Amino acid sequence: MARQRKAAKSASVKPAHSQRNNTGALPAPYKRPPEVLQPIIDTFDEKHVYILHVDSKPRAFKRKIFLVPVCLNLAIAALFAWRVYYVGPYYLSLVTSAMGYWNETTMFVDEMTWAEIIPEVARRALTFMLDTLLAVFLWPWPVEFCFGQQHGNPVAWRWAVGFRDREVVVRRSRRWSAAMGDVVSDGEDGTNAARSYFLARISAATAPMVLGEKTGYVLMDGDWDLDWGAMVDATTMVDRKMAALEAFSLVVLLYQEDWGWLCVDLRGEEAEAQMDGRQRQVLAFRDALAAVGKEDLFYRWIEIVQFEASQPGGFGPEKQELAAQQIRELFMKEGVDFDQFWKDSVGTDSSLGIQ
């Protein structure tokens, strides 16, 4: 991944106090981000909060949604082309007249009455104002849509990614995140109002109704923008097998000076208490892999099982055996004995990790 954060702070020396807490227990609901996401985290701006999730809307639907801004920006570009064609000679005449070459736009005020001067000055002022408004407020739309550089642009994103049934969406917070303060550490009274404010915004942005009913492109609002470059980077990671698509399933990332990059645990205590034994085994397996620096294997394991389960004919014994063989070979290439590792970390038969 060639894209790097423009103002990377990793190269700067942190003051001693900024590292005082990074060896202790993280306050709830925060945890360390998955190691498999580190390549894309390295490109993020520490002043922003990021939400990553997988958009599962059908590709045909995404194509129709994207067609709307394409047509809108084409219309704006056509409007500007027509306007330049129509008014260009007029402005050229004004310039040449100002340079001393008389033409039809030259005003000889000494020979004109106020009844002639006022309408002509008003007409020119309105023309200048209209074209200024078009250039300042409308023209940047197609320019940013096609050639935006700071965070990429929609055209470059679609050109690189295309339209897929499952796509990684990366949202970046707008200006509100720069003024939210410390949302991690508790105050002297054991509370943190900034954290409550922050988690309320995250809850609204990650609500099931929002993620379930809207495709990624329409999630831009006053609080969140889309990071086109990051979405290209994430897709590149998936395509190059650097991370499984599931690794990007609803991840909230923020930077805090004392702790570095953190991930918000969206499950919460109530959801944790409701998890069944199977879910606990899967999470225990993931945590064990993360502890030995092999968390990427967890997501690739999930990807294999989901792929085989989605094939025609269901996930019967034959498919389970095929998936088991692929998983064992995958883990063995990384020097991990799947059966033994599952038993050591979960305490049950490894066949449960295939079903």
Side-chain angles (χ1 to χ4, degrees), residues 72-154:
L72 177 61
N73 283 282
L74 284 176
I76 294 175
L79 172 64
F80 266 84
W82 171 82
R83 185 62 182 170
V84 170
Y85 173 80
Y86 177 80
V87 81
Y90 175 69
Y91 282 116
L92 182 60
S93 297
L94 288 177
V95 171
T96 56
S97 176
M99 294 174 64
Y101 299 94
W102 296 347
N103 53 52
E104 67 277 6
T105 63
T106 305
M107 294 178 60
F108 298 96
V109 293
D110 294 339
E111 302 175 6
M112 300 173 64
T113 64
W114 282 108
E116 296 173 324
I117 294 174
I118 292 176
E120 180 62 24
V121 171
R123 186 177 71 86
R124 295 187 180 189
L126 288 174
T127 300
F128 296 157
M129 183 176 65
L130 172 62
D131 292 330
T132 299
L133 291 175
L134 289 174
V136 171
F137 294 105
L138 278 185
W139 181 240
W141 289 9
V143 173
E144 284 296 317
F145 188 75
C146 298
F147 307 108
Q149 295 295 322
Q150 185 175 7
H151 300 289
N153 60 78

Coordinates of all heavy atoms in Angstrom, one line a residue, residues 72-154:
L72 N -25.5 14.1 -12.1 CA -25.5 15.5 -11.6 C -24.2 16.2 -11.9 O -24.2 17.4 -12.4 CB -25.6 15.4 -10.0 CG -25.6 16.7 -9.3 CD1 -26.7 17.7 -9.8 CD2 -25.6 16.5 -7.8
N73 N -23.1 15.6 -11.8 CA -21.8 16.2 -12.1 C -21.6 16.4 -13.6 O -21.0 17.4 -14.0 CB -20.6 15.4 -11.5 CG -20.5 15.7 -10.0 OD1 -20.0 16.7 -9.5 ND2 -21.0 14.7 -9.2
L74 N -22.1 15.5 -14.4 CA -22.1 15.7 -15.8 C -22.9 16.9 -16.2 O -22.5 17.7 -17.1 CB -22.6 14.4 -16.5 CG -21.6 13.3 -16.6 CD1 -22.3 12.1 -17.3 CD2 -20.3 13.6 -17.4
A75 N -24.1 17.1 -15.6 CA -24.9 18.2 -15.9 C -24.2 19.5 -15.5 O -24.3 20.5 -16.2 CB -26.2 18.0 -15.1
I76 N -23.6 19.5 -14.3 CA -22.8 20.7 -13.9 C -21.7 21.1 -14.9 O -21.5 22.2 -15.2 CB -22.3 20.5 -12.5 CG1 -23.5 20.4 -11.5 CG2 -21.4 21.7 -12.1 CD1 -23.0 20.1 -10.1
A77 N -21.0 20.0 -15.3 CA -19.9 20.3 -16.2 C -20.4 20.8 -17.6 O -19.8 21.7 -18.2 CB -19.1 19.0 -16.4
A78 N -21.5 20.2 -18.0 CA -22.2 20.7 -19.3 C -22.6 22.1 -19.1 O -22.5 22.9 -20.0 CB -23.3 19.8 -19.6
L79 N -23.2 22.5 -17.9 CA -23.6 23.8 -17.7 C -22.5 24.8 -17.8 O -22.6 25.9 -18.4 CB -24.3 23.9 -16.3 CG -24.6 25.3 -15.8 CD1 -25.7 26.0 -16.7 CD2 -25.1 25.3 -14.4
F80 N -21.3 24.4 -17.2 CA -20.2 25.3 -17.2 C -19.6 25.4 -18.7 O -19.2 26.5 -19.1 CB -19.1 24.8 -16.3 CG -19.1 25.4 -14.9 CD1 -20.0 24.9 -14.0 CD2 -18.3 26.5 -14.6 CE1 -20.0 25.5 -12.7 CE2 -18.4 27.1 -13.4 CZ -19.2 26.6 -12.4
A81 N -19.6 24.3 -19.4 CA -19.1 24.4 -20.8 C -20.0 25.3 -21.6 O -19.5 26.1 -22.4 CB -19.1 23.0 -21.4
W82 N -21.3 25.2 -21.4 CA -22.2 26.1 -22.1 C -22.0 27.6 -21.7 O -22.0 28.5 -22.5 CB -23.7 25.7 -21.9 CG -24.7 26.7 -22.4 CD1 -25.1 26.8 -23.7 CD2 -25.3 27.8 -21.7 NE1 -26.0 27.9 -23.8 CE2 -26.1 28.5 -22.6 CE3 -25.2 28.2 -20.3 CZ2 -26.9 29.6 -22.1 CZ3 -26.0 29.2 -19.9 CH2 -26.8 29.9 -20.8
R83 N -21.8 27.8 -20.4 CA -21.7 29.1 -19.9 C -20.4 29.8 -20.4 O -20.4 30.9 -20.8 CB -21.7 29.1 -18.3 CG -21.6 30.5 -17.7 CD -22.8 31.3 -18.0 NE -22.8 32.6 -17.4 CZ -23.6 33.6 -17.7 NH1 -24.6 33.4 -18.6 NH2 -23.5 34.8 -17.1
V84 N -19.3 29.0 -20.4 CA -18.1 29.5 -20.9 C -18.2 29.9 -22.4 O -17.7 30.9 -22.9 CB -16.9 28.5 -20.7 CG1 -15.7 28.9 -21.5 CG2 -16.6 28.4 -19.3
Y85 N -18.9 29.0 -23.2 CA -19.1 29.2 -24.6 C -20.0 30.5 -24.8 O -19.7 31.3 -25.7 CB -19.8 28.0 -25.2 CG -20.2 28.2 -26.6 CD1 -19.3 28.1 -27.7 CD2 -21.5 28.5 -27.0 CE1 -19.7 28.3 -29.0 CE2 -21.9 28.7 -28.3 CZ -21.0 28.6 -29.3 OH -21.4 28.7 -30.6
Y86 N -20.9 30.6 -23.9 CA -21.9 31.8 -24.1 C -21.3 33.1 -23.7 O -21.4 34.1 -24.4 CB -23.2 31.5 -23.3 CG -24.2 32.6 -23.4 CD1 -25.0 32.7 -24.5 CD2 -24.3 33.5 -22.3 CE1 -26.0 33.7 -24.5 CE2 -25.3 34.5 -22.4 CZ -26.1 34.6 -23.5 OH -27.0 35.6 -23.5
V87 N -20.7 33.1 -22.5 CA -20.2 34.4 -21.9 C -18.7 34.6 -22.1 O -18.3 35.8 -21.9 CB -20.5 34.4 -20.4 CG1 -19.5 33.6 -19.6 CG2 -20.7 35.8 -19.9
G88 N -18.0 33.7 -22.6 CA -16.6 33.9 -22.9 C -16.3 35.1 -23.8 O -15.4 35.9 -23.4
P89 N -16.9 35.2 -24.9 CA -16.6 36.3 -25.8 C -16.9 37.7 -25.1 O -16.2 38.7 -25.4 CB -17.5 36.1 -27.0 CG -17.7 34.6 -27.0 CD -17.7 34.2 -25.6
Y90 N -18.0 37.7 -24.3 CA -18.3 38.9 -23.6 C -17.2 39.3 -22.6 O -16.8 40.5 -22.6 CB -19.6 38.7 -22.8 CG -20.1 39.8 -21.9 CD1 -20.5 41.0 -22.5 CD2 -20.0 39.7 -20.5 CE1 -20.9 42.1 -21.7 CE2 -20.4 40.8 -19.7 CZ -20.9 42.0 -20.3 OH -21.3 43.0 -19.5
Y91 N -16.7 38.4 -21.8 CA -15.6 38.7 -20.9 C -14.3 39.1 -21.7 O -13.6 40.0 -21.3 CB -15.3 37.6 -20.0 CG -16.3 37.5 -18.8 CD1 -17.1 36.3 -18.7 CD2 -16.4 38.5 -17.9 CE1 -18.0 36.2 -17.7 CE2 -17.3 38.3 -16.8 CZ -18.1 37.2 -16.7 OH -19.0 37.1 -15.7
L92 N -14.1 38.5 -22.8 CA -12.9 38.8 -23.6 C -13.1 40.3 -24.2 O -12.1 41.0 -24.2 CB -12.8 37.9 -24.8 CG -11.6 38.1 -25.7 CD1 -10.3 38.0 -25.0 CD2 -11.7 37.1 -26.9
S93 N -14.3 40.6 -24.5 CA -14.5 42.0 -25.0 C -14.3 43.0 -23.9 O -13.8 44.1 -24.1 CB -15.9 42.2 -25.5 OG -16.1 41.3 -26.7
L94 N -14.7 42.7 -22.6 CA -14.5 43.5 -21.5 C -13.0 43.7 -21.2 O -12.6 44.9 -20.9 CB -15.2 43.0 -20.2 CG -16.7 43.0 -20.2 CD1 -17.2 42.3 -18.9 CD2 -17.2 44.4 -20.3
V95 N -12.3 42.7 -21.3 CA -10.8 42.8 -21.1 C -10.1 43.6 -22.1 O -9.3 44.5 -21.8 CB -10.2 41.4 -21.0 CG1 -8.7 41.4 -21.0 CG2 -10.7 40.6 -19.8
T96 N -10.5 43.4 -23.4 CA -9.8 44.2 -24.5 C -10.3 45.6 -24.4 O -9.5 46.5 -24.7 CB -10.2 43.6 -25.8 OG1 -11.6 43.5 -25.9 CG2 -9.6 42.2 -26.0
S97 N -11.5 45.9 -23.9 CA -12.0 47.3 -23.8 C -11.2 47.9 -22.6 O -10.8 49.1 -22.8 CB -13.4 47.3 -23.4 OG -13.9 48.6 -23.2
A98 N -10.9 47.2 -21.5 CA -10.1 47.8 -20.4 C -8.7 48.1 -20.9 O -8.0 48.9 -20.3 CB -10.2 46.8 -19.3
M99 N -8.2 47.3 -21.9 CA -6.9 47.5 -22.4 C -6.8 48.7 -23.4 O -5.7 49.0 -23.9 CB -6.3 46.2 -23.0 CG -6.2 45.1 -22.0 SD -5.8 43.5 -22.8 CE -4.1 43.9 -23.4
G100 N -7.9 49.3 -23.7 CA -7.9 50.5 -24.5 C -8.4 50.2 -25.9 O -8.3 51.1 -26.8
Y101 N -8.8 49.0 -26.2 CA -9.3 48.6 -27.5 C -10.8 48.7 -27.5 O -11.5 47.8 -27.0 CB -8.9 47.2 -28.0 CG -7.4 47.1 -28.0 CD1 -6.6 46.6 -27.0 CD2 -6.7 47.5 -29.2 CE1 -5.2 46.5 -27.0 CE2 -5.3 47.4 -29.3 CZ -4.6 46.9 -28.2 OH -3.2 46.8 -28.2
W102 N -11.4 49.8 -28.0 CA -12.8 50.0 -28.0 C -13.6 48.9 -28.7 O -13.2 48.5 -29.8 CB -13.2 51.4 -28.5 CG -12.6 52.5 -27.7 CD1 -12.0 52.4 -26.5 CD2 -12.4 53.9 -28.1 NE1 -11.5 53.6 -26.1 CE2 -11.8 54.6 -27.1 CE3 -12.8 54.6 -29.3 CZ2 -11.6 55.9 -27.1 CZ3 -12.6 56.0 -29.3 CH2 -12.0 56.6 -28.2
N103 N -14.7 48.5 -28.1 CA -15.6 47.6 -28.8 C -17.0 47.8 -28.2 O -17.3 48.9 -27.6 CB -15.2 46.1 -28.5 CG -14.9 45.8 -27.1 OD1 -15.8 46.1 -26.2 ND2 -13.8 45.3 -26.7
E104 N -17.9 46.9 -28.5 CA -19.3 47.1 -28.1 C -19.6 47.2 -26.6 O -20.6 47.6 -26.2 CB -20.2 46.0 -28.7 CG -20.0 44.6 -28.2 CD -18.8 43.9 -28.8 OE1 -18.1 44.6 -29.6 OE2 -18.6 42.7 -28.5
T105 N -18.6 46.7 -25.8 CA -18.8 46.8 -24.4 C -18.2 48.1 -23.8 O -18.4 48.3 -22.6 CB -18.1 45.6 -23.7 OG1 -16.7 45.7 -23.9 CG2 -18.6 44.3 -24.2
T106 N -17.5 48.9 -24.5 CA -16.9 50.1 -24.0 C -18.0 51.1 -23.7 O -19.0 51.3 -24.5 CB -16.0 50.7 -25.0 OG1 -15.0 49.7 -25.4 CG2 -15.3 51.9 -24.5
M107 N -18.0 51.7 -22.5 CA -18.9 52.6 -22.0 C -18.3 54.0 -22.0 O -17.3 54.3 -21.3 CB -19.4 52.3 -20.6 CG -20.2 51.0 -20.5 SD -20.7 50.6 -18.8 CE -21.7 52.1 -18.4
F108 N -18.8 54.9 -22.8 CA -18.4 56.3 -22.8 C -19.3 57.1 -21.8 O -20.3 57.6 -22.3 CB -18.4 56.9 -24.2 CG -17.5 56.2 -25.1 CD1 -18.0 55.1 -26.0 CD2 -16.2 56.4 -25.2 CE1 -17.2 54.5 -26.8 CE2 -15.3 55.8 -26.1 CZ -15.9 54.8 -26.9
V109 N -19.0 57.1 -20.6 CA -19.9 57.6 -19.5 C -20.1 59.1 -19.7 O -21.2 59.6 -19.3 CB -19.4 57.3 -18.1 CG1 -19.4 55.8 -17.8 CG2 -17.9 57.9 -18.0
D110 N -19.2 59.8 -20.3 CA -19.4 61.3 -20.5 C -20.5 61.5 -21.5 O -21.1 62.6 -21.5 CB -18.1 61.9 -21.0 CG -17.0 61.9 -20.0 OD1 -17.3 61.7 -18.8 OD2 -15.8 62.0 -20.4
E111 N -20.8 60.5 -22.4 CA -21.8 60.7 -23.4 C -23.1 60.0 -23.0 O -24.0 60.0 -23.8 CB -21.3 60.2 -24.7 CG -20.0 60.9 -25.2 CD -19.4 60.3 -26.4 OE1 -20.1 59.4 -27.0 OE2 -18.3 60.7 -26.8
M112 N -23.1 59.4 -21.8 CA -24.3 58.6 -21.5 C -25.1 59.2 -20.3 O -24.5 59.9 -19.5 CB -23.9 57.1 -21.0 CG -23.1 56.4 -22.1 SD -22.5 54.8 -21.4 CE -24.0 53.9 -21.0
T113 N -26.4 59.0 -20.3 CA -27.2 59.5 -19.2 C -27.2 58.5 -18.1 O -26.9 57.3 -18.3 CB -28.6 59.8 -19.7 OG1 -29.2 58.5 -20.1 CG2 -28.6 60.7 -20.9
W114 N -27.7 58.9 -16.9 CA -27.8 57.9 -15.8 C -28.8 56.8 -16.1 O -28.7 55.7 -15.6 CB -28.2 58.7 -14.5 CG -27.1 59.4 -13.8 CD1 -26.9 60.8 -13.8 CD2 -26.0 58.8 -13.2 NE1 -25.7 61.1 -13.2 CE2 -25.1 59.9 -12.8 CE3 -25.6 57.5 -12.9 CZ2 -23.9 59.7 -12.1 CZ3 -24.4 57.3 -12.2 CH2 -23.6 58.4 -11.8
A115 N -29.8 57.1 -16.8 CA -30.8 56.1 -17.2 C -30.2 55.0 -18.1 O -30.7 53.9 -18.1 CB -31.9 56.8 -17.9
E116 N -29.0 55.3 -18.7 CA -28.3 54.3 -19.5 C -27.2 53.7 -18.7 O -27.0 52.5 -18.9 CB -27.7 55.0 -20.8 CG -28.7 55.6 -21.7 CD -28.1 56.4 -22.8 OE1 -27.1 57.0 -22.6 OE2 -28.6 56.3 -24.0
I117 N -26.6 54.4 -17.8 CA -25.5 53.9 -17.0 C -25.9 52.9 -16.0 O -25.3 51.8 -15.9 CB -24.7 55.0 -16.4 CG1 -24.0 55.9 -17.4 CG2 -23.6 54.5 -15.4 CD1 -23.4 57.2 -16.8
I118 N -27.0 53.2 -15.2 CA -27.4 52.4 -14.1 C -27.8 51.0 -14.6 O -27.4 50.0 -14.0 CB -28.5 53.0 -13.3 CG1 -28.0 54.3 -12.6 CG2 -29.1 52.1 -12.3 CD1 -29.0 55.1 -11.8
P119 N -28.7 50.8 -15.6 CA -29.0 49.5 -16.1 C -27.8 48.6 -16.6 O -27.8 47.4 -16.3 CB -30.1 49.7 -17.2 CG -30.6 51.1 -16.9 CD -29.4 51.8 -16.4
E120 N -26.9 49.3 -17.3 CA -25.7 48.6 -17.8 C -24.8 48.1 -16.7 O -24.3 47.0 -16.7 CB -25.0 49.5 -18.8 CG -23.7 48.8 -19.4 CD -24.1 47.6 -20.2 OE1 -25.2 47.5 -20.7 OE2 -23.2 46.7 -20.4
V121 N -24.6 49.0 -15.7 CA -23.8 48.6 -14.5 C -24.4 47.5 -13.7 O -23.8 46.5 -13.3 CB -23.5 49.8 -13.6 CG1 -22.8 49.4 -12.3 CG2 -22.6 50.9 -14.3
A122 N -25.7 47.6 -13.5 CA -26.5 46.5 -12.8 C -26.4 45.2 -13.6 O -26.2 44.1 -12.9 CB -27.9 46.9 -12.6
R123 N -26.5 45.3 -14.9 CA -26.5 44.0 -15.7 C -25.1 43.4 -15.6 O -25.0 42.1 -15.4 CB -26.8 44.3 -17.1 CG -26.9 43.1 -18.0 CD -27.3 43.5 -19.4 NE -26.2 44.1 -20.1 CZ -25.3 43.5 -20.8 NH1 -25.2 42.2 -20.8 NH2 -24.3 44.2 -21.4
R124 N -24.1 44.1 -15.6 CA -22.7 43.6 -15.5 C -22.5 43.0 -14.1 O -21.8 42.0 -13.9 CB -21.7 44.6 -15.9 CG -21.8 45.1 -17.3 CD -20.6 46.0 -17.7 NE -20.7 46.4 -19.1 CZ -19.8 47.1 -19.8 NH1 -18.7 47.4 -19.2 NH2 -20.0 47.4 -21.0
A125 N -23.0 43.8 -13.1 CA -22.8 43.3 -11.7 C -23.5 42.0 -11.5 O -22.9 41.0 -10.9 CB -23.3 44.3 -10.7
L126 N -24.7 41.8 -12.0 CA -25.4 40.6 -11.9 C -24.7 39.4 -12.6 O -24.7 38.3 -12.2 CB -26.8 40.7 -12.4 CG -27.8 41.6 -11.5 CD1 -29.1 41.8 -12.2 CD2 -28.0 40.9 -10.1
T127 N -24.1 39.7 -13.8 CA -23.4 38.7 -14.6 C -22.2 38.3 -13.8 O -21.9 37.1 -13.7 CB -23.0 39.3 -15.9 OG1 -24.2 39.7 -16.7 CG2 -22.2 38.3 -16.7
F128 N -21.4 39.2 -13.2 CA -20.2 38.9 -12.5 C -20.6 38.0 -11.2 O -20.0 37.0 -10.9 CB -19.5 40.1 -12.0 CG -18.9 40.9 -13.1 CD1 -18.7 42.3 -13.0 CD2 -18.7 40.4 -14.4 CE1 -18.1 43.1 -14.0 CE2 -18.2 41.1 -15.4 CZ -17.9 42.5 -15.2
M129 N -21.7 38.4 -10.5 CA -22.1 37.7 -9.3 C -22.5 36.3 -9.7 O -22.2 35.3 -9.0 CB -23.2 38.5 -8.6 CG -23.7 37.8 -7.3 SD -24.9 38.8 -6.4 CE -26.3 38.7 -7.6
L130 N -23.3 36.2 -10.7 CA -23.8 34.8 -11.1 C -22.6 33.9 -11.5 O -22.6 32.8 -11.0 CB -24.7 34.9 -12.3 CG -25.2 33.6 -13.0 CD1 -25.9 32.8 -12.0 CD2 -26.0 33.9 -14.3
D131 N -21.7 34.4 -12.2 CA -20.6 33.5 -12.6 C -19.6 33.3 -11.4 O -19.0 32.2 -11.4 CB -19.8 34.2 -13.8 CG -20.6 34.2 -15.1 OD1 -21.4 33.3 -15.3 OD2 -20.4 35.2 -15.9
T132 N -19.5 34.2 -10.5 CA -18.7 34.0 -9.3 C -19.3 32.9 -8.5 O -18.6 32.0 -8.0 CB -18.6 35.3 -8.5 OG1 -17.9 36.3 -9.3 CG2 -17.8 35.0 -7.2
L133 N -20.7 32.9 -8.3 CA -21.4 31.9 -7.5 C -21.2 30.5 -8.2 O -21.0 29.5 -7.5 CB -22.8 32.3 -7.4 CG -23.1 33.5 -6.5 CD1 -24.6 33.8 -6.5 CD2 -22.7 33.2 -5.0
L134 N -21.3 30.5 -9.5 CA -21.2 29.2 -10.2 C -19.7 28.7 -10.0 O -19.6 27.5 -9.7 CB -21.5 29.4 -11.7 CG -22.9 29.6 -12.1 CD1 -23.0 29.9 -13.5 CD2 -23.8 28.4 -11.7
A135 N -18.8 29.6 -10.1 CA -17.4 29.1 -10.0 C -17.0 28.7 -8.6 O -16.2 27.7 -8.3 CB -16.4 30.2 -10.5
V136 N -17.6 29.4 -7.6 CA -17.2 29.1 -6.2 C -17.9 27.9 -5.6 O -17.4 27.1 -4.9 CB -17.4 30.4 -5.3 CG1 -17.2 30.1 -3.8 CG2 -16.5 31.5 -5.7
F137 N -19.2 27.8 -5.9 CA -20.1 26.8 -5.2 C -20.4 25.6 -6.0 O -20.6 24.5 -5.5 CB -21.4 27.5 -4.7 CG -21.2 28.5 -3.7 CD1 -21.3 29.9 -4.0 CD2 -20.9 28.2 -2.4 CE1 -21.1 30.9 -3.0 CE2 -20.7 29.1 -1.4 CZ -20.8 30.5 -1.7
L138 N -20.5 25.7 -7.3 CA -20.8 24.6 -8.2 C -19.7 23.9 -8.8 O -19.6 22.7 -8.9 CB -21.9 25.0 -9.2 CG -23.3 25.1 -8.8 CD1 -24.2 25.4 -10.0 CD2 -23.8 23.8 -8.1
W139 N -18.7 24.7 -9.3 CA -17.6 24.1 -10.1 C -16.8 23.1 -9.3 O -16.3 22.1 -9.8 CB -16.8 25.2 -10.7 CG -15.6 24.7 -11.5 CD1 -14.3 24.9 -11.3 CD2 -15.7 23.8 -12.6 NE1 -13.5 24.3 -12.2 CE2 -14.3 23.6 -13.1 CE3 -16.7 23.3 -13.4 CZ2 -14.1 22.8 -14.2 CZ3 -16.4 22.5 -14.4 CH2 -15.1 22.2 -14.9
P140 N -16.6 23.4 -7.9 CA -15.8 22.4 -7.2 C -16.4 21.0 -7.1 O -15.7 20.0 -6.9 CB -15.7 23.0 -5.8 CG -15.9 24.5 -6.0 CD -16.8 24.6 -7.2
W141 N -17.7 20.9 -7.3 CA -18.3 19.6 -7.2 C -17.7 18.6 -8.2 O -17.2 17.5 -7.9 CB -19.8 19.7 -7.4 CG -20.5 20.3 -6.2 CD1 -19.9 20.9 -5.1 CD2 -21.9 20.4 -6.0 NE1 -20.9 21.4 -4.3 CE2 -22.1 21.1 -4.8 CE3 -23.0 20.0 -6.7 CZ2 -23.4 21.4 -4.3 CZ3 -24.3 20.2 -6.2 CH2 -24.5 20.9 -5.0
P142 N -17.8 18.9 -9.5 CA -17.3 17.9 -10.5 C -15.7 17.8 -10.4 O -15.2 16.7 -10.7 CB -17.7 18.5 -11.9 CG -18.0 19.9 -11.6 CD -18.5 20.0 -10.2
V143 N -15.1 18.8 -10.0 CA -13.6 18.8 -9.8 C -13.2 17.8 -8.7 O -12.4 16.9 -8.9 CB -13.0 20.2 -9.5 CG1 -11.5 20.1 -9.2 CG2 -13.2 21.1 -10.7
E144 N -13.9 17.9 -7.5 CA -13.6 17.0 -6.4 C -14.1 15.6 -6.7 O -13.5 14.6 -6.3 CB -14.3 17.5 -5.1 CG -13.6 18.7 -4.5 CD -12.2 18.3 -4.0 OE1 -12.1 17.2 -3.4 OE2 -11.3 19.1 -4.2
F145 N -15.2 15.5 -7.5 CA -15.8 14.2 -7.8 C -14.8 13.4 -8.7 O -14.7 12.2 -8.6 CB -17.1 14.4 -8.5 CG -17.9 13.1 -8.8 CD1 -18.5 12.5 -7.7 CD2 -17.9 12.6 -10.0 CE1 -19.2 11.3 -8.0 CE2 -18.6 11.4 -10.3 CZ -19.3 10.8 -9.2
C146 N -14.1 14.1 -9.6 CA -13.2 13.4 -10.5 C -11.7 13.5 -10.2 O -11.0 12.5 -10.5 CB -13.4 13.9 -11.9 SG -15.1 13.7 -12.6
F147 N -11.3 14.6 -9.5 CA -9.9 14.8 -9.4 C -9.5 15.1 -7.9 O -8.3 15.5 -7.7 CB -9.4 16.0 -10.3 CG -9.8 15.8 -11.7 CD1 -10.8 16.6 -12.3 CD2 -9.2 14.9 -12.5 CE1 -11.2 16.4 -13.6 CE2 -9.6 14.7 -13.8 CZ -10.6 15.5 -14.4
G148 N -10.3 14.9 -6.9 CA -10.0 15.2 -5.6 C -8.7 14.4 -5.2 O -8.6 13.2 -5.5
Q149 N -7.8 15.1 -4.4 CA -6.6 14.4 -4.1 C -6.4 14.2 -2.6 O -5.7 13.2 -2.2 CB -5.4 15.3 -4.6 CG -5.3 15.5 -6.1 CD -5.0 14.2 -6.7 OE1 -4.2 13.4 -6.2 NE2 -5.6 13.9 -7.9
Q150 N -6.9 15.0 -1.7 CA -6.6 15.0 -0.3 C -7.0 13.6 0.3 O -6.3 13.0 1.0 CB -7.3 16.1 0.5 CG -6.9 16.1 1.9 CD -7.5 17.3 2.6 OE1 -8.3 18.1 2.1 NE2 -7.1 17.5 3.9
H151 N -8.2 13.2 0.0 CA -8.7 11.9 0.5 C -9.2 11.0 -0.7 O -10.1 10.1 -0.4 CB -9.9 12.1 1.5 CG -9.5 12.9 2.7 ND1 -8.6 12.4 3.7 CD2 -9.8 14.2 3.1 CE1 -8.4 13.3 4.6 NE2 -9.1 14.4 4.3
G152 N -8.7 11.2 -1.8 CA -9.2 10.4 -3.0 C -10.5 11.0 -3.5 O -10.9 12.1 -3.1
N153 N -11.1 10.4 -4.5 CA -12.3 10.9 -5.0 C -13.2 9.7 -5.5 O -12.7 8.6 -5.7 CB -12.0 11.8 -6.2 CG -11.3 11.1 -7.3 OD1 -11.8 10.4 -8.1 ND2 -9.9 11.4 -7.4
P154 N -14.5 9.9 -5.6 CA -15.4 8.8 -6.0 C -15.1 8.1 -7.3 O -15.2 6.9 -7.4 CB -16.8 9.5 -6.0 CG -16.7 10.7 -5.2 CD -15.2 11.2 -5.4

